């Protein structure tokens, strides 16, 4: 297992982000060309109106001159009236053309804008899925780790008989694991009363002898039915680990390391949440022009990771889900909000978390 995160943030598919950028460019191009067509139509109709105004003035002058000529100018007056009538018809057609073209191009611009907003919303929704899938896949590995390490012979022997030599050896074994898996802050072996009897970083975290029976994750882990089951705790600040943000995963330690053996202890592994989650949300490829804030929120809509580092474990997001697992919408102030619920990964069902992207103007 790599000592790094294990999964790096990447586009949801090859070319996805680039395609979205191309779509944005095409939308901007169509908007610009439509605006140019509209301006050309306005300019040309104004030119036609100027010409027809000149025709009308010429016709008016011709009528005046024909009236001065008396009977000899009567025929010319008829021609002047016809010219004047043609000019008025051309002017009417030009105005109608301008009105219709302006309306059509306006409708086209509005339609393109709606399509652009929808395309942007769908893209952000997909990237929200990208974010939650990355963390799900990562945390799936954590559930595998804890169940595997709970069967380690040093861990099983120490839980069965926590003599000093057994505790020392178990701590050494946990330390070896931590040396290879740097995504963890510490690993704790607890007895069934919630007392920590060994940990992997005893030189850094003096937790042996501390009691964690009051914690939700320990209570749930103590009630696990077999060694194949696990507990995934909420993201929290852990006082015994310097108040660091951790996601704690637990499995029961059982007699002989057998899945159906009698429970003799609990192994708790503390995932170093903040840097790992930050790498994911900051790695989601939103554009600078999106002014986007990428978030992970838990089932209570509490922010548990944020690309801007703000509000973690304290802020709650008011999501309008409308009963849907995914979607996007504009809130009352016009901010685009996209979301996607956790789909889970393999045997990891997820904890009801969401990937969320909030875009500014």
């Amino acid at each position: 297992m790599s000592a790094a995160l294990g999964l790096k943030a990447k586009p949801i598919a090859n070319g996805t982000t680039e395609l979205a950028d191309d779509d944005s460019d095409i939308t901007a191009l169509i908007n610009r060309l439509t605006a140019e067509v509209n301006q050309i139509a306005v300019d040309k109709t104004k030119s036609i109106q100027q010409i027809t105004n000149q025709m009308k003035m010429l016709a008016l002058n011709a009528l005046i001159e024909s009236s001065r000529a008396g009977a000899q100018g009567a025929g010319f007056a008829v021609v002047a009236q016809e010219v004047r009538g043609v000019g008025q018809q051309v002017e009417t057609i030009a105005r109608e053309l301008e009105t219709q073209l302006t309306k059509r191009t306006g409708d086209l611009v509005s339609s393109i804008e709606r399509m652009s907003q929808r395309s942007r919303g769908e893209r952000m929704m997909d990237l929200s899925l990208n974010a939650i899938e990355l963390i799900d896949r990562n945390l799936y590995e954590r559930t595998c780790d804890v169940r595997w390490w709970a069967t380690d012979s040093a861990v099983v022997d120490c839980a069965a008989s926590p003599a000093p030599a057994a505790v020392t050896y178990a701590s050494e074994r946990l330390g070896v694991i931590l040396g290879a898996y740097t995504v963890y802050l510490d690993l704790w072996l607890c007895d069934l009363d919630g007392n920590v009897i060994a940990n992997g970083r005893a030189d850094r975290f003096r937790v042996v002898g501390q009691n964690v029976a009051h914690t939700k994750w320990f209570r749930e882990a103590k009630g696990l039915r077999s060694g194949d089951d696990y507990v995934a705790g909420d993201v929290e600040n852990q006082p015994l680990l310097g108040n660091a943000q951790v996601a704690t995963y637990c499995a029961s330690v059982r007699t002989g390391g057998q899945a159906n053996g009698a429970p003799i202890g609990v192994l708790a592994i503390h995932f170093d949440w903040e840097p790992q989650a930050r790498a994911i949300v900051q790695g989601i490829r939103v554009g600078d022009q999106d002014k986007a804030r990428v978030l992970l929120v838990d089932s209570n809509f509490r922010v548990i990771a944020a690309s801007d580092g703000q509000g973690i474990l304290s802020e709650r997001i008011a999501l309008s889900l409308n009963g849907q697992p995914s979607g996007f919408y504009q809130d009352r102030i016009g901010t685009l909000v996209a979301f996607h619920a956790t789909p889970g990964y393999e045997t990891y069902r997820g904890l009801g978390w969401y990937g969320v992207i909030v875009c500014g103007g």
Side-chain angles (χ1 to χ4, degrees), residues 323-358:
Q324 300 299 314
S326 62
F328 60 90
Y329 60 90
Q330 285 190 321
D331 64 16
R332 289 178 297 179
I333 62 174
T335 300
L336 174 65
V337 180
F339 63 90
H340 205 295
T342 170
Y345 184 74
E346 298 288 347
T347 57
Y348 181 70
R349 297 182 299 276
L351 300 175
W353 295 357
Y354 289 84
V356 178
I357 298 181
V358 181

Short mmCIF file of all heavy atoms in Angstrom, two decimals, residues 323-358:
data_model
loop_
_atom_site.label_atom_id
_atom_site.label_comp_id
_atom_site.label_asym_id
_atom_site.label_seq_id
_atom_site.Cartn_x
_atom_site.Cartn_y
_atom_site.Cartn_z
N GLY A 323 -35.51 15.78 -2.81
CA GLY A 323 -35.65 14.33 -2.88
C GLY A 323 -34.76 13.65 -3.90
O GLY A 323 -34.94 12.45 -4.15
N GLN A 324 -33.81 14.36 -4.47
CA GLN A 324 -32.96 13.80 -5.51
C GLN A 324 -31.56 13.51 -4.97
O GLN A 324 -31.03 14.27 -4.15
CB GLN A 324 -32.86 14.77 -6.69
CG GLN A 324 -34.18 15.10 -7.35
CD GLN A 324 -34.85 13.87 -7.92
OE1 GLN A 324 -34.20 13.05 -8.58
NE2 GLN A 324 -36.14 13.72 -7.66
N PRO A 325 -30.91 12.44 -5.45
CA PRO A 325 -29.54 12.16 -5.02
C PRO A 325 -28.50 13.07 -5.66
O PRO A 325 -27.36 13.16 -5.19
CB PRO A 325 -29.33 10.70 -5.45
CG PRO A 325 -30.24 10.54 -6.63
CD PRO A 325 -31.45 11.39 -6.34
N SER A 326 -28.89 13.71 -6.74
CA SER A 326 -27.95 14.61 -7.42
C SER A 326 -28.74 15.69 -8.15
O SER A 326 -29.93 15.52 -8.45
CB SER A 326 -27.07 13.84 -8.41
OG SER A 326 -27.87 13.24 -9.43
N GLY A 327 -28.08 16.79 -8.46
CA GLY A 327 -28.74 17.87 -9.19
C GLY A 327 -27.98 19.17 -9.05
O GLY A 327 -26.87 19.21 -8.51
N PHE A 328 -28.57 20.22 -9.57
CA PHE A 328 -28.00 21.56 -9.45
C PHE A 328 -29.13 22.57 -9.51
O PHE A 328 -30.20 22.29 -10.06
CB PHE A 328 -26.96 21.82 -10.54
CG PHE A 328 -27.50 21.74 -11.95
CD1 PHE A 328 -28.01 22.86 -12.58
CD2 PHE A 328 -27.50 20.53 -12.64
CE1 PHE A 328 -28.52 22.79 -13.87
CE2 PHE A 328 -28.01 20.44 -13.93
CZ PHE A 328 -28.52 21.58 -14.55
N TYR A 329 -28.88 23.74 -8.95
CA TYR A 329 -29.89 24.80 -8.94
C TYR A 329 -29.20 26.12 -8.63
O TYR A 329 -28.03 26.16 -8.22
CB TYR A 329 -30.97 24.50 -7.89
CG TYR A 329 -30.44 24.41 -6.48
CD1 TYR A 329 -30.36 25.53 -5.65
CD2 TYR A 329 -30.00 23.19 -5.96
CE1 TYR A 329 -29.87 25.44 -4.36
CE2 TYR A 329 -29.50 23.09 -4.67
CZ TYR A 329 -29.44 24.22 -3.87
OH TYR A 329 -28.94 24.13 -2.60
N GLN A 330 -29.94 27.20 -8.85
CA GLN A 330 -29.48 28.52 -8.45
C GLN A 330 -30.25 28.95 -7.21
O GLN A 330 -31.48 28.84 -7.17
CB GLN A 330 -29.67 29.54 -9.57
CG GLN A 330 -28.64 29.39 -10.70
CD GLN A 330 -28.68 30.55 -11.68
OE1 GLN A 330 -29.75 31.04 -12.01
NE2 GLN A 330 -27.53 31.00 -12.13
N ASP A 331 -29.52 29.41 -6.21
CA ASP A 331 -30.19 29.83 -4.99
C ASP A 331 -30.79 31.22 -5.14
O ASP A 331 -30.78 31.79 -6.25
CB ASP A 331 -29.25 29.75 -3.78
CG ASP A 331 -28.06 30.72 -3.89
OD1 ASP A 331 -28.12 31.64 -4.72
OD2 ASP A 331 -27.09 30.55 -3.13
N ARG A 332 -31.27 31.78 -4.06
CA ARG A 332 -31.99 33.05 -4.14
C ARG A 332 -31.14 34.21 -4.60
O ARG A 332 -31.66 35.20 -5.12
CB ARG A 332 -32.60 33.38 -2.76
CG ARG A 332 -33.77 32.48 -2.38
CD ARG A 332 -34.28 32.82 -0.99
NE ARG A 332 -33.26 32.59 0.02
CZ ARG A 332 -33.44 32.84 1.32
NH1 ARG A 332 -34.59 33.35 1.75
NH2 ARG A 332 -32.48 32.59 2.18
N ILE A 333 -29.84 34.11 -4.42
CA ILE A 333 -28.96 35.21 -4.86
C ILE A 333 -28.26 34.89 -6.17
O ILE A 333 -27.33 35.60 -6.57
CB ILE A 333 -27.94 35.57 -3.77
CG1 ILE A 333 -27.04 34.37 -3.46
CG2 ILE A 333 -28.64 36.06 -2.51
CD1 ILE A 333 -25.91 34.72 -2.49
N GLY A 334 -28.68 33.80 -6.83
CA GLY A 334 -28.14 33.48 -8.14
C GLY A 334 -26.90 32.62 -8.13
O GLY A 334 -26.29 32.39 -9.18
N THR A 335 -26.50 32.10 -6.98
CA THR A 335 -25.32 31.24 -6.88
C THR A 335 -25.67 29.83 -7.38
O THR A 335 -26.70 29.27 -7.00
CB THR A 335 -24.82 31.16 -5.43
OG1 THR A 335 -24.49 32.47 -4.98
CG2 THR A 335 -23.60 30.27 -5.32
N LEU A 336 -24.81 29.27 -8.22
CA LEU A 336 -25.01 27.91 -8.71
C LEU A 336 -24.53 26.91 -7.66
O LEU A 336 -23.40 27.00 -7.18
CB LEU A 336 -24.24 27.69 -10.02
CG LEU A 336 -24.25 26.27 -10.58
CD1 LEU A 336 -25.67 25.86 -10.98
CD2 LEU A 336 -23.30 26.15 -11.76
N VAL A 337 -25.41 25.97 -7.30
CA VAL A 337 -25.07 24.93 -6.32
C VAL A 337 -25.30 23.58 -6.99
O VAL A 337 -26.39 23.29 -7.48
CB VAL A 337 -25.94 25.04 -5.06
CG1 VAL A 337 -25.57 23.94 -4.06
CG2 VAL A 337 -25.80 26.42 -4.41
N ALA A 338 -24.25 22.75 -7.03
CA ALA A 338 -24.35 21.41 -7.59
C ALA A 338 -24.01 20.39 -6.50
O ALA A 338 -23.17 20.66 -5.64
CB ALA A 338 -23.40 21.24 -8.78
N PHE A 339 -24.65 19.22 -6.53
CA PHE A 339 -24.43 18.24 -5.48
C PHE A 339 -24.58 16.82 -6.02
O PHE A 339 -25.23 16.60 -7.05
CB PHE A 339 -25.42 18.45 -4.32
CG PHE A 339 -26.86 18.25 -4.70
CD1 PHE A 339 -27.48 17.02 -4.60
CD2 PHE A 339 -27.61 19.32 -5.20
CE1 PHE A 339 -28.80 16.84 -4.97
CE2 PHE A 339 -28.94 19.16 -5.57
CZ PHE A 339 -29.54 17.91 -5.46
N HIS A 340 -23.96 15.89 -5.31
CA HIS A 340 -24.15 14.48 -5.64
C HIS A 340 -23.94 13.65 -4.38
O HIS A 340 -22.96 13.84 -3.66
CB HIS A 340 -23.16 14.02 -6.72
CG HIS A 340 -23.66 12.84 -7.51
ND1 HIS A 340 -23.87 11.60 -6.93
CD2 HIS A 340 -24.01 12.71 -8.81
CE1 HIS A 340 -24.32 10.76 -7.85
NE2 HIS A 340 -24.42 11.41 -8.99
N ALA A 341 -24.88 12.76 -4.11
CA ALA A 341 -24.79 11.90 -2.93
C ALA A 341 -23.75 10.81 -3.13
O ALA A 341 -23.44 10.42 -4.26
CB ALA A 341 -26.16 11.27 -2.65
N THR A 342 -23.22 10.31 -2.02
CA THR A 342 -22.27 9.21 -2.09
C THR A 342 -22.90 7.97 -2.74
O THR A 342 -24.00 7.56 -2.34
CB THR A 342 -21.76 8.84 -0.68
OG1 THR A 342 -21.02 7.62 -0.76
CG2 THR A 342 -22.90 8.67 0.30
N PRO A 343 -22.24 7.38 -3.74
CA PRO A 343 -22.75 6.12 -4.29
C PRO A 343 -22.19 4.91 -3.55
O PRO A 343 -22.61 3.79 -3.80
CB PRO A 343 -22.23 6.17 -5.74
CG PRO A 343 -20.95 6.93 -5.65
CD PRO A 343 -21.12 7.94 -4.53
N GLY A 344 -21.20 5.15 -2.64
CA GLY A 344 -20.52 4.03 -2.01
C GLY A 344 -19.54 3.39 -2.97
O GLY A 344 -19.47 3.74 -4.16
N TYR A 345 -18.76 2.45 -2.44
CA TYR A 345 -17.78 1.76 -3.30
C TYR A 345 -17.55 0.36 -2.76
O TYR A 345 -17.23 0.19 -1.58
CB TYR A 345 -16.47 2.54 -3.34
CG TYR A 345 -15.44 1.95 -4.28
CD1 TYR A 345 -15.57 2.09 -5.66
CD2 TYR A 345 -14.36 1.23 -3.79
CE1 TYR A 345 -14.66 1.53 -6.52
CE2 TYR A 345 -13.42 0.67 -4.65
CZ TYR A 345 -13.58 0.82 -6.01
OH TYR A 345 -12.65 0.27 -6.87
N GLU A 346 -17.72 -0.64 -3.62
CA GLU A 346 -17.57 -2.03 -3.22
C GLU A 346 -18.43 -2.31 -1.98
O GLU A 346 -19.61 -2.03 -1.99
CB GLU A 346 -16.09 -2.36 -2.98
CG GLU A 346 -15.21 -2.19 -4.23
CD GLU A 346 -15.43 -3.27 -5.26
OE1 GLU A 346 -16.06 -4.30 -4.95
OE2 GLU A 346 -14.97 -3.10 -6.42
N THR A 347 -17.81 -2.78 -0.90
CA THR A 347 -18.58 -3.08 0.31
C THR A 347 -18.75 -1.88 1.22
O THR A 347 -19.41 -1.98 2.27
CB THR A 347 -17.89 -4.21 1.11
OG1 THR A 347 -16.54 -3.81 1.43
CG2 THR A 347 -17.85 -5.50 0.31
N TYR A 348 -18.14 -0.75 0.85
CA TYR A 348 -18.30 0.48 1.63
C TYR A 348 -19.54 1.20 1.13
O TYR A 348 -19.57 1.70 0.00
CB TYR A 348 -17.06 1.36 1.48
CG TYR A 348 -17.12 2.65 2.27
CD1 TYR A 348 -17.04 2.64 3.65
CD2 TYR A 348 -17.26 3.88 1.62
CE1 TYR A 348 -17.10 3.82 4.39
CE2 TYR A 348 -17.31 5.06 2.35
CZ TYR A 348 -17.22 5.02 3.73
OH TYR A 348 -17.27 6.19 4.44
N ARG A 349 -20.57 1.27 1.96
CA ARG A 349 -21.85 1.81 1.52
C ARG A 349 -21.89 3.34 1.56
O ARG A 349 -22.83 3.94 1.05
CB ARG A 349 -22.98 1.25 2.40
CG ARG A 349 -23.13 -0.27 2.30
CD ARG A 349 -24.28 -0.77 3.14
NE ARG A 349 -24.08 -0.45 4.55
CZ ARG A 349 -23.36 -1.20 5.38
NH1 ARG A 349 -22.72 -2.27 4.92
NH2 ARG A 349 -23.25 -0.86 6.66
N GLY A 350 -20.89 3.93 2.17
CA GLY A 350 -20.92 5.37 2.33
C GLY A 350 -21.73 5.75 3.57
O GLY A 350 -22.43 4.92 4.14
N LEU A 351 -21.61 7.00 3.95
CA LEU A 351 -22.24 7.46 5.20
C LEU A 351 -23.28 8.54 4.96
O LEU A 351 -23.58 9.33 5.84
CB LEU A 351 -21.16 7.99 6.15
CG LEU A 351 -20.07 6.98 6.56
CD1 LEU A 351 -19.02 7.67 7.39
CD2 LEU A 351 -20.68 5.80 7.31
N GLY A 352 -23.83 8.58 3.75
CA GLY A 352 -24.82 9.61 3.43
C GLY A 352 -24.20 10.96 3.15
O GLY A 352 -24.88 11.99 3.23
N TRP A 353 -22.92 10.96 2.79
CA TRP A 353 -22.22 12.20 2.49
C TRP A 353 -22.56 12.71 1.09
O TRP A 353 -23.12 11.99 0.27
CB TRP A 353 -20.71 12.01 2.60
CG TRP A 353 -20.22 11.70 3.97
CD1 TRP A 353 -20.95 11.64 5.13
CD2 TRP A 353 -18.86 11.41 4.34
NE1 TRP A 353 -20.15 11.34 6.19
CE2 TRP A 353 -18.86 11.18 5.75
CE3 TRP A 353 -17.67 11.31 3.65
CZ2 TRP A 353 -17.68 10.87 6.44
CZ3 TRP A 353 -16.51 11.00 4.33
CH2 TRP A 353 -16.52 10.79 5.71
N TYR A 354 -22.20 13.98 0.85
CA TYR A 354 -22.40 14.59 -0.47
C TYR A 354 -21.14 15.32 -0.92
O TYR A 354 -20.41 15.89 -0.11
CB TYR A 354 -23.53 15.63 -0.42
CG TYR A 354 -24.91 15.06 -0.25
CD1 TYR A 354 -25.39 14.74 1.01
CD2 TYR A 354 -25.74 14.83 -1.35
CE1 TYR A 354 -26.66 14.21 1.19
CE2 TYR A 354 -27.01 14.30 -1.19
CZ TYR A 354 -27.46 13.99 0.08
OH TYR A 354 -28.71 13.47 0.25
N GLY A 355 -20.90 15.26 -2.22
CA GLY A 355 -19.97 16.19 -2.84
C GLY A 355 -20.78 17.40 -3.27
O GLY A 355 -21.87 17.26 -3.83
N VAL A 356 -20.26 18.59 -2.99
CA VAL A 356 -21.00 19.83 -3.28
C VAL A 356 -20.02 20.83 -3.91
O VAL A 356 -18.87 20.95 -3.48
CB VAL A 356 -21.60 20.45 -2.00
CG1 VAL A 356 -22.32 21.76 -2.32
CG2 VAL A 356 -22.56 19.46 -1.33
N ILE A 357 -20.50 21.52 -4.93
CA ILE A 357 -19.73 22.62 -5.53
C ILE A 357 -20.62 23.86 -5.55
O ILE A 357 -21.73 23.82 -6.07
CB ILE A 357 -19.23 22.28 -6.93
CG1 ILE A 357 -18.28 21.07 -6.87
CG2 ILE A 357 -18.50 23.47 -7.55
CD1 ILE A 357 -17.70 20.65 -8.21
N VAL A 358 -20.11 24.93 -4.98
CA VAL A 358 -20.82 26.21 -4.93
C VAL A 358 -20.04 27.19 -5.79
O VAL A 358 -18.87 27.47 -5.53
CB VAL A 358 -20.92 26.74 -3.48
CG1 VAL A 358 -21.68 28.05 -3.47
CG2 VAL A 358 -21.62 25.70 -2.59
#
